[in-house]
Amino acid sequence: MNIETLISQAAGQAVKALYGMEASEKMLQLQKTRSEFEGNLTLVVFPFVKAAKKSPEQTAQEIGQYLVDNCSAVEKFNVVKGFLNLSIGEGAWLQLLQAIDGDEHFGMKQAGDKSPLVMIEYSSPNTNKPLHLGHVRNNLLGWSLAQIMEANGNKVVKTNIVNDRGIHICKSMLAWLKYGNGETPESSGKKGDHLIGDYYVAFDKHYREEVKELMAQGMDEEKAKQEAPLIKEAHEMLVKWENNDPEVRALWEKMNNWVYAGFDETYKKMGVGFDKIYNESQTYLKGKAKVEEGLAKGLFERHEDNSVWADLTNEGLDQKLLLRSDGTSVYMTQDIGTAEMRFKDFPIDKMIYVVGNEQNYHFQVLSILLDRLGFKWGKELVHFSYGMVELPNGKMKSREGTVVDADDLMQLMVDDAYKTSMELGKFDDMTEEERREIARIVGMGALKYFILKVDARKNMLFNPEESIDFNGNTGPFIQYTYARIRSILRKAEAEGLKPACAAAQLAEKEVELIQKMSEFGAAVEQAGKDYSPSGIANYCYELTKVFNQFYHDFSILNEADEQKKAMRLMLAKNVAKIIKNGMGLLGIEVPERM
């Protein structure tokens, strides 16, 4: 139990004993005492004034006295208007440090047999192009969210739905057939997803030329876009695919497999993965069947042109198309089919979709439809909606080949980390192998932290140069602090010194450090409630800052008092542990040396 919980419970007992009042958890909110006042924690007493029938100052005085008399952790108090400032005794802080040290997973809960099962969908790539910067944010958020939900005691299934069918896939296939001359990943030396992405760009280039030519012959732009031979051929190919044409299906499988091999390589570099992958080509027919079932039950309606719609006007929305007049499915239908497959595969209690904010309306509708169709988690599905990522030089367009490729970006980050570390002399006593591995950890840490520290709902500007900085609110700053602590602990071990929670007089900065460490559990819990990796990133930065302030003012290994030295080693050891666990929730590794 952390200090806040202990004091909060004791304050609840005080209010009951003094005024016969049952105070809710919300009323017993504690906050850190402001730096200009004496104390560690502050209780606002205004919620109890009515029951006390006394002034705020008198009420605070009585509760403070009760806590000093009845709660061993409270050493003294002072009152500023309706604010009760409490000073926690040294023994309680040392006891808390001991408790933190005794728990390898301090602040994190373990899932049990009866824990809820949370499924998290992220990534959702198309098999016609490689992953780009937008996918990087999506994957990092999804992976981190999965770790945070697990740390809150949930069972988690990480899942991916691959968009492996549709006109965009046929465009790449057709371009490869026309302009590829049998090129393969092996013959070209390119990753499969990059190779196919090149043909998607090639299709667009040739298609634009055809449209331009038709317009030069006097056709208006809209008609030219429909009549261009390439787009017609692509549509014919899609129909053949839908009709299971063996040649088209064989080509589709071959090219998709090239892409999957490329994706796997990218996911591995990024440090993310999935427990189960679903493909749209398997789910869209199930979605159609589910819609037909809903139609038979009177949940949906068929229009004269044979299309099927859901009337959502009672929910304050409009009508939503579920099946086109030719019977083909739309994205909504596919999502319904995927939901059914997942529900059969897993006993899902909560479903979280990590998808950009341009899909907010889609998920509002999906939630209503799944609920109508009887999925128990339909109503409560969570759309983890995030903003777009932009670069200093603007937006990205995959058709035009101007995307920021995920593989290129990751390589750039690792190369920059190597270069910066060399310039700062951090690699001087290392082998080349060590340098490369640390550059990978630091480069990827810089990328992940820069993206995850921003509130996911906001659009963000990603600046690679700013992210690799060994000072300020960056991944490398936190990683460097961890490596520094590990270096201190290795030296201590070599000298035969052991961390211990010895009775030593605590300085204000040491108390502040223990207090900050004790807040890790609350930060994990809040990040789980808010679905917010940025909450963990900010906590890790705050803890690192508090440690560095302490380390600036106090020596550890050169401290003459043996008890203080042992206690400071224990402080350092547990700060390192919490940094490692906290950064782990963001999918970020921390190096043992830097």
Side-chain angles (χ1 to χ4, degrees):
M1 186 188 293
N2 64 24
I3 295 278
E4 281 86 345
T5 311
L6 182 72
I7 305 293
S8 180
Q9 286 178 1
Q13 287 157 9
V15 170
K16 190 171 184 188
L18 294 167
Y19 315 122
M21 177 187 180
E22 291 284 353
S24 68
E25 203 178 304
K26 206 174 177 185
M27 289 172 155
L28 297 161
Q29 289 295 316
L30 288 159
Q31 54 210 39
K32 270 173 114 167
T33 303
R34 281 165 51 184
S35 56
E36 62 265 36
F37 301 114
E38 189 189 354
N40 306 110
L41 292 168
T42 297
L43 178 72
V44 182
V45 301
F46 295 112
F48 320 120
V49 168
K50 199 174 172 186
K53 298 183 180 138
K54 290 176 182 158
S55 72
E57 287 86 350
Q58 281 176 299
T59 308
Q61 195 70 35
E62 287 182 353
I63 296 172
Q65 195 54 56
Y66 181 96
L67 290 171
V68 166
D69 295 341
N70 295 282
C71 179
S72 60
V74 179
E75 191 174 65
K76 54 185 179 174
F77 70 94
N78 66 81
V79 175
V80 180
K81 297 183 176 162
F83 298 93
L84 172 60
N85 300 323
L86 304 166
S87 295
I88 310 302
E90 205 161 84
W93 290 121
L94 289 169
Q95 221 175 335
L96 179 56
L97 178 58
Q98 190 86 53
I100 293 170
D101 184 66
D103 184 354
E104 201 48 46
H105 302 286
F106 172 77
M108 303 195 288
K109 297 181 186 127
Q110 304 289 312
D113 293 342
K114 294 189 176 170
S115 296
L117 178 74
V118 179
M119 180 176 274
I120 301 176
E121 174 195 295
Y122 57 97
S123 203
S124 313
N126 293 328
T127 56
N128 63 324
K129 56 191 173 189
L131 302 176
H132 56 62
L133 178 54
H135 290 115
V136 172
R137 190 177 198 191
N138 180 299
N139 279 283
L140 298 183
L141 285 169
W143 178 265
S144 178
L145 196 57
Q147 310 312 306
I148 289 166
M149 296 310 281
E150 268 185 9
N152 276 286
N154 299 286
K155 292 179 199 158
V156 173
V157 174
K158 300 182 285 291
T159 180
N160 183 359
I161 174 79
V162 179
N163 304 307
D164 65 339
R165 60 173 287 277
I167 190 70
H168 50 297
I169 310 296
C170 290
K171 286 176 181 179
S172 309
M173 288 161 61
L174 185 62
W176 183 83
L177 276 179
K178 283 183 171 296
Y179 322 117
N181 298 316
E183 188 179 25
T184 68
E186 290 75 25
S187 72
S188 64
K190 285 182 187 169
K191 275 175 86 234
D193 50 337
H194 287 233
L195 181 70
I196 302 308
D198 290 347
Y199 285 103
Y200 184 60
V201 172
F203 177 95
D204 193 62
K205 182 177 153 243
H206 289 281
Y207 171 57
R208 280 165 184 260
E209 284 165 9
E210 287 184 352
V211 170
K212 211 169 164 185
E213 211 172 292
L214 290 172
M215 284 169 70
Q217 290 166 22
M219 203 179 274
D220 72 75
E221 190 178 356
E222 243 353 273
K223 193 159 174 56
K225 280 180 177 175
Q226 290 165 12
E227 294 297 322
L230 263 178
I231 200 73
K232 282 185 159 181
E233 273 190 82
H235 279 290
E236 282 164 22
M237 186 180 263
L238 181 59
V239 171
K240 284 180 179 174
W241 184 92
E242 295 257 356
N243 293 326
N244 276 318
D245 178 282
E247 267 182 49
V248 171
R249 284 283 177 142
L251 175 65
W252 170 75
E253 257 180 52
K254 175 169 78 174
M255 289 176 73
N256 270 355
N257 284 335
W258 292 345
V259 174
Y260 295 144
F263 283 171
D264 286 347
E265 224 177 289
T266 306
Y267 288 139
K268 195 176 171 188
K269 273 188 211 159
M270 213 183 285
V272 305
F274 310 92
D275 301 308
K276 178 88 180 175
I277 294 179
Y278 293 88
N279 292 347
E280 264 191 26
S281 54
Q282 301 162 330
T283 67
Y284 82 106
L285 291 173
K286 292 201 183 297
K288 284 167 80 168
K290 201 73 189 160
V291 168
E292 295 287 357
E293 192 186 301
L295 190 64
K297 289 179 183 169
L299 301 174
F300 309 130
E301 52 195 46
R302 195 184 290 281
H303 287 191
E304 279 178 20
D305 66 351
N306 204 38
S307 59
V308 177
W309 296 73
D311 185 356
L312 306 173
T313 47
N314 286 344
E315 280 87 356
L317 301 171
D318 54 10
Q319 301 235 342
K320 183 69 193 170
L321 176 68
L322 298 179
L323 287 175
R324 296 189 190 93
S325 53
D326 62 1
T328 56
S329 61
V330 293
Y331 271 120
M332 191 63 72
T333 331
Q334 290 158 20
D335 275 347
I336 291 168
T338 310
E340 189 188 28
M341 282 181 83
R342 286 171 175 166
F343 198 67
K344 280 183 176 161
D345 291 343
F346 299 96
I348 301 167
D349 295 297
K350 187 183 278 293
M351 181 74 214
I352 302 174
Y353 294 87
V354 181
V355 181
N357 56 15
E358 74 278 10
Q359 295 291 333
N360 286 354
Y361 176 73
H362 175 91
F363 284 98
Q364 202 182 345
V365 172
L366 182 63
S367 176
I368 295 165
L369 296 180
L370 291 179
D371 185 54
R372 270 194 203 177
L373 289 163
F375 293 96
K376 69 171 178 150
W377 44 264
K379 206 172 236 168
E380 273 95 46
L381 78 77
V382 176
H383 172 208
F384 181 81
S385 169
Y386 64 90
M388 296 298 101
V389 193
E390 288 174 18
L391 285 153
N393 58 358
K395 288 187 180 176
M396 309 173 289
K397 291 189 177 70
S398 19
R399 284 191 310 278
E400 293 163 24
T402 58
V403 295
V404 177
D405 180 82
D407 293 312
D408 292 347
L409 177 64
M410 289 191 286
Q411 194 54 53
L412 168 79
M413 296 300 294
V414 173
D415 292 347
D416 279 1
Y418 185 92
K419 190 169 146 238
T420 307
S421 298
M422 284 297 271
E423 284 166 3
L424 293 171
K426 293 186 184 296
F427 281 170
D428 290 354
D429 60 341
M430 293 185 195
T431 64
E432 186 57 21
E433 197 182 341
E434 268 184 303
R435 288 172 183 171
R436 292 286 167 202
E437 177 59 3
I438 290 169
R440 182 192 67 77
I441 292 172
V442 173
M444 289 307 297
L447 170 65
K448 291 179 181 186
Y449 187 85
F450 198 94
I451 284 177
L452 293 173
K453 74 175 180 182
V454 179
D455 176 355
R457 288 162 296 199
K458 294 178 179 166
N459 286 352
M460 70 170 290
L461 193 69
F462 177 69
N463 191 328
E465 289 82 27
E466 271 178 40
S467 68
I468 296 187
D469 191 335
F470 288 84
N471 298 299
N473 190 3
T474 65
F477 170 65
I478 298 168
Q479 289 172 318
Y480 183 61
T481 300
Y482 175 84
R484 172 190 271 171
I485 296 172
R486 293 299 298 153
S487 169
I488 292 165
L489 294 171
R490 281 193 298 273
K491 282 178 192 162
E493 200 178 341
E495 289 173 30
L497 300 169
K498 286 199 168 117
C501 205
Q505 200 173 356
L506 292 170
E508 197 182 316
K509 285 228 160 74
E510 291 167 334
V511 166
E512 198 186 341
L513 197 48
I514 297 170
Q515 191 167 0
K516 182 47 81 177
M517 282 194 273
S518 77
E519 292 165 14
F520 182 51
V524 171
E525 196 175 318
Q526 200 56 51
K529 280 180 188 162
D530 299 341
Y531 309 113
S532 172
S534 65
I536 297 294
N538 293 328
Y539 171 83
C540 289
Y541 175 55
E542 290 298 321
L543 176 63
T544 304
K545 265 200 315 187
V546 175
F547 176 81
N548 279 303
Q549 285 160 6
F550 153 75
Y551 188 65
H552 179 268
D553 294 354
F554 296 93
S555 174
I556 297 179
L557 295 176
N558 294 328
E559 170 58 53
D561 183 317
E562 291 302 321
Q563 287 191 313
K564 280 188 179 178
K565 191 190 286 186
M567 188 273 298
R568 284 176 191 165
L569 281 170
M570 186 172 265
L571 275 177
K573 173 190 161 195
N574 285 285
V575 168
K577 173 178 81 183
I578 293 172
I579 287 176
K580 185 175 187 173
N581 290 343
M583 294 291 265
L585 295 180
L586 303 174
I588 297 174
E589 297 168 75
V590 282
E592 288 296 305
R593 53 188 300 218
M594 243 169 108

